[in-house]
Amino acid sequence: LPIGSLTAADFERFCRSLVKALHPAAEVHRFGDQGDRQDGIDFYAQEPAGPVTTYQCKRYRSRTDFGPAKVSAAMTANTIAAEHHYILLTRTATPGARKVVLGNPDWSLWDLEDIAEVIRTDLDMDARIQLVDRFFPNHREDFLGLPERGPWLTSEEFFRAFDDPLKLLNHR
């Protein structure tokens, strides 16, 4: 998937939608906006039983280094108490970046390959299709091995683009 081609705002929306698909019972909320003091997170998920998980979205081009120093800085910036913390990255993680989180049970670093694998293995087929069709049009066949949808949309499919509460124009 061309995760690195998403804008910063779309990458956050994509990650938020992915987390919501992984944890449908959880409440998933943005933690401010770009320019706000976000305490080192972009959004969080809170399960009904109470556990909180935090997420930081890091959009870097493949030739830009997101190495150990930047991973450490991201971990230090996160001041929110949570059961687990994730850094979601739009590029392949460097070995140095992996070493920083290796052995730390409270932290995970998901790069673009990890994110793609989670979509393929941890989501049901409907959730996979919705996520891929919404954020990566015309990649359904390449990524999921399913034919692209035809020219006719159901009303649910048509209005899904207007159902994002984070977009200015929405039906909520």
Side-chain angles (χ1 to χ4, degrees), residues 13 21 26 36 69 100 117 119 121 124 135 142 148 151 167:
R13 285 186 195 100
D36 292 338
V100 174
E117 187 63 21
I119 293 169
T121 61
D124 64 47
F135 291 98
D142 294 343
E148 296 293 336
K167 288 191 175 182

Side-chain angles (χ1 to χ4, degrees), residues 51-69:
V52 173
T53 305
T54 67
Y55 299 85
Q56 293 180 60
C57 300
K58 298 296 183 184
R59 187 176 177 274
Y60 283 83
R61 290 183 180 20
S62 58
R63 58 187 181 276
T64 304
D65 185 26
F66 187 78

Side-chain angles (χ1 to χ4, degrees), residues 7-156:
T7 65
D10 283 341
F11 180 58
E12 280 190 30
R13 285 186 195 100
F14 163 73
C15 290
R16 186 174 177 268
S17 295
L18 172 62
V19 169
K20 188 63 181 168
L22 288 168
H23 305 281
E27 290 188 23
V28 182
H29 300 283
R30 288 185 69 194
F31 200 76
D33 202 358
Q34 219 172 14
D36 292 338
R37 187 176 188 285
Q38 293 179 286
D39 295 323
I41 69 169
D42 290 309
F43 62 95
Y44 67 94
Q46 184 163 15
E47 296 289 343
V52 173
T53 305
T54 67
Y55 299 85
Q56 293 180 60
C57 300
K58 298 296 183 184
R59 187 176 177 274
Y60 283 83
R61 290 183 180 20
S62 58
R63 58 187 181 276
T64 304
D65 185 26
F66 187 78
K70 289 187 180 175
V71 173
S72 293
M75 292 170 72
T76 302
N78 187 329
T79 61
I80 305 297
E83 187 172 89
H84 200 81
H85 309 276
Y86 287 88
I87 299 171
L88 306 170
L89 187 58
T90 58
R91 55 155 293 156
T92 302
T94 64
R98 292 271 187 211
K99 285 181 184 177
V100 174
V101 295
L102 188 65
N104 189 332
D106 297 335
W107 283 87
S108 294
L109 173 63
W110 284 3
D111 67 4
L112 61 91
E113 292 176 19
D114 297 319
I115 293 169
E117 187 63 21
V118 166
I119 293 169
R120 278 192 192 107
T121 61
D122 295 357
L123 297 181
D124 64 47
M125 188 57 74
D126 287 340
R128 288 181 216 163
I129 291 170
Q130 285 182 19
L131 202 60
V132 170
D133 284 354
R134 179 174 173 198
F135 291 98
F136 309 102
N138 303 316
H139 283 81
R140 182 193 289 193
E141 191 162 359
D142 294 343
F143 184 69
L144 300 174
L146 299 172
E148 296 293 336
R149 64 178 171 206
W152 305 110
L153 301 177
T154 65
S155 59
E156 181 182 315

